[in-house]
Amino acid sequence: MTYLSGKPTGILSGQPAGPLSGYSTWAWHPHFGDIDDVDLAKLWMHLASFGVTGPGWSDGDDNGSAPGKNTSAATTPDVRRAWLLSPEEMLPRGCFVASTEPIGCLEGGGGAGGGGGGGAAVGAAEEAAPAAAGIEVGTAAAGAEEPAGTAEAGAALGPYGKGRGHHIPAKRAFTGDPNYDINAALAIPKLELRAQGIFHPQITGAQQSLYREFARTGQPLTWDVVRSIETQALTRAGMSPESASITVNKAISALQASGVSGPVSIPWGGK
Amino acid sequence: MPSPEIEEFAKLLVQQVRDVAIGDCDVALRPNAAGPVFKRWKEAAHKGNLESIVGIVVPDTVDDTIFHLLDAIDNGLLNLSFTAANGKKVDLPTDGLGELAGWYIGTGGWRALYSQERFIDDFADLVGFFGPSKEGK
């Protein structure tokens, strides 16, 4: 597998100590605690012949026509139910604990009854979006400050203009429909993505790749195809198939209820 | 001191791109972190050496940050324009059709086309997903 180009950028070279050494994140996390300062100029020599193998990795096609070194890493999503935070972590964040099952709780504030905790890591960016998300669909209580979807009920959804995040389905499919409003359209809010443990680019990347492939078939885009693609995109990003299906169905039902008659174009389809 | 407009741009850039990207990456520390990116990060961390971590986390983090820049443009949070070498000016939110982030991160996208550095394509297996292409027939 070709993984690294072995091309020193100069960014790391010449630094006597590792730039990671000053970041507490690398020190306190158990997986990163054993990282020592290193001479990164020397490290580049090792990186040049560096290869990564392991579960979930597959050798990718080295695209000879492209200058970039592409490592394909198609993996089966690691889907599991788990505590988002340990009990010891919950109280300082103002979470309301009332379940013996894994529950969702987001940094930056409590849910219903939560009282709004700290959450510095999530902090400032959220100021741009109103805190209340009373129009959420799903398990999040109306008026709760934070969404909190569950595996049984799918991800919590809210208007994009409220919580930002990721449009479900892709906005481009409906752009131009007079009943479609990009800000009122439902999305998985940014905080809900984090609560679900999902990396946002993974959803968009799968969406783009799937819609682009579908466009090549020459077939018209239908609600059923949208449903299928969106569900697969969420599943690949790590959501359980059941939760993904419920989430997508909620979003599509909301679009239909708002008067959107159907997809008007294929996202990334060039039309 | 920059103008209020530049400060407004700075605030949006920091909050909607930098902070969001960091928040995204911090999800890796959650017990329920899911999906291939966090899986490979954890695997890299378990290897216990800086080479494996840097080799994987750096390109994923850079890609996430650029993704959020483009996503902010796609959704009209950052109204940016670009003047091409031929002098033509394009309005990125409008002319980009809200698809810039996807073109960047998807398989065969801008990274594959233009990057000279490493990246990880998590979607390469989706090529041909719906069967043979009818393009060009």
Side-chain angles (χ1 to χ4, degrees):
Chain A
M1 168 171 52
T2 303
Y3 181 70
L4 289 171
S5 67
K7 176 187 174 186
T9 61
I11 295 173
L12 298 177
S13 61
Q15 297 186 20
L20 306 178
S21 62
Y23 291 81
S24 59
T25 299
W26 295 85
W28 61 257
H29 190 271
H31 296 326
F32 302 146
D34 55 354
I35 297 172
D36 296 320
D37 285 356
V38 294
D39 186 332
L40 288 176
K42 293 179 181 175
L43 177 60
W44 270 113
M45 297 176 65
H46 299 293
L47 288 171
S49 58
F50 173 66
V52 177
T53 58
W57 283 82
S58 60
D59 288 348
D61 298 329
D62 194 2
N63 187 350
S65 63
K69 299 302 181 183
N70 165 9
T71 297
S72 302
T75 60
T76 302
D78 183 14
V79 179
R80 55 206 161 147
R81 298 183 69 191
W83 294 97
L84 295 175
L85 298 170
S86 69
E88 291 77 14
E89 291 173 303
M90 289 179 178
L91 290 178
R93 288 173 168 82
C95 300
F96 182 71
V97 183
S99 171
T100 56
E101 290 292 308
I103 61 171
C105 179
L106 293 157
E107 292 182 356
V122 187
E126 271 60 68
E127 292 178 6
I135 316 177
E136 287 156 12
V137 178
T139 56
E145 286 194 12
E146 306 288 3
T150 65
E152 293 79 7
L157 298 172
Y160 179 82
K162 294 283 186 183
R164 308 297 187 205
H166 180 85
H167 280 96
I168 298 286
K171 56 187 175 295
R172 174 65 178 151
F174 309 100
T175 303
D177 186 307
N179 293 316
Y180 186 78
D181 181 332
I182 187 175
N183 285 312
L186 291 179
I188 302 177
K190 182 170 45 186
L191 293 180
E192 174 71 354
L193 289 171
R194 294 176 186 173
Q196 296 268 343
I198 290 174
F199 202 55
H200 188 174
Q202 287 288 306
I203 312 175
T204 304
Q207 277 182 318
Q208 193 268 359
S209 303
L210 286 165
Y211 278 118
R212 193 176 173 199
E213 285 299 313
F214 180 77
R216 289 173 172 153
T217 68
Q219 299 295 312
L221 186 61
T222 64
W223 282 117
D224 284 344
V225 175
V226 168
R227 193 185 316 275
S228 174
I229 288 177
E230 298 291 340
T231 302
Q232 290 180 65
L234 290 179
T235 303
R236 287 180 64 97
M239 193 177 288
S240 73
E242 296 79 13
S243 185
S245 178
I246 293 167
T247 302
V248 171
N249 283 332
K250 285 190 299 187
I252 288 178
S253 295
L255 281 177
Q256 293 172 330
S258 69
V260 174
S261 57
V264 296
S265 61
I266 302 175
W268 296 283
K271 296 175 183 176
Chain B
M1 191 69 182
S3 68
E5 291 76 20
I6 295 295
E7 289 295 335
E8 179 181 335
F9 169 71
K11 182 178 179 182
L12 286 168
L13 183 69
V14 169
Q15 295 185 350
Q16 299 299 332
V17 180
R18 181 187 190 275
D19 291 356
V20 173
I22 289 177
D24 257 16
C25 295
D26 282 347
V27 174
L29 303 177
R30 290 174 179 257
N32 71 329
V37 171
F38 295 138
K39 184 178 180 181
R40 64 173 166 262
W41 286 18
K42 289 177 180 177
E43 289 171 358
H46 281 303
K47 290 176 185 290
N49 64 77
L50 189 56
E51 292 177 33
S52 61
I53 295 170
V54 169
I56 290 175
V57 176
V58 167
D60 280 342
T61 301
V62 170
D63 285 340
D64 182 55
T65 306
I66 295 175
F67 170 85
H68 282 295
L69 170 64
L70 297 172
D71 189 62
I73 294 170
D74 285 342
N75 288 293
L77 303 178
L78 278 176
N79 291 309
L80 303 183
S81 61
F82 172 73
T83 304
N86 63 5
K88 183 176 180 182
K89 189 173 184 178
V90 291
D91 180 75
L92 293 177
T94 302
D95 297 323
L97 303 175
E99 298 178 331
L100 302 180
W103 283 117
Y104 178 78
I105 206 75
T107 191
W110 293 350
R111 296 177 304 169
L113 290 172
Y114 307 121
S115 180
Q116 297 182 34
E117 294 291 350
R118 64 191 185 276
F119 68 92
I120 301 164
D121 185 349
D122 290 305
F123 318 105
D125 63 312
L126 295 177
V127 174
F129 186 86
F130 292 98
S133 171
K134 291 187 177 179
E135 287 179 343
K137 291 185 180 179

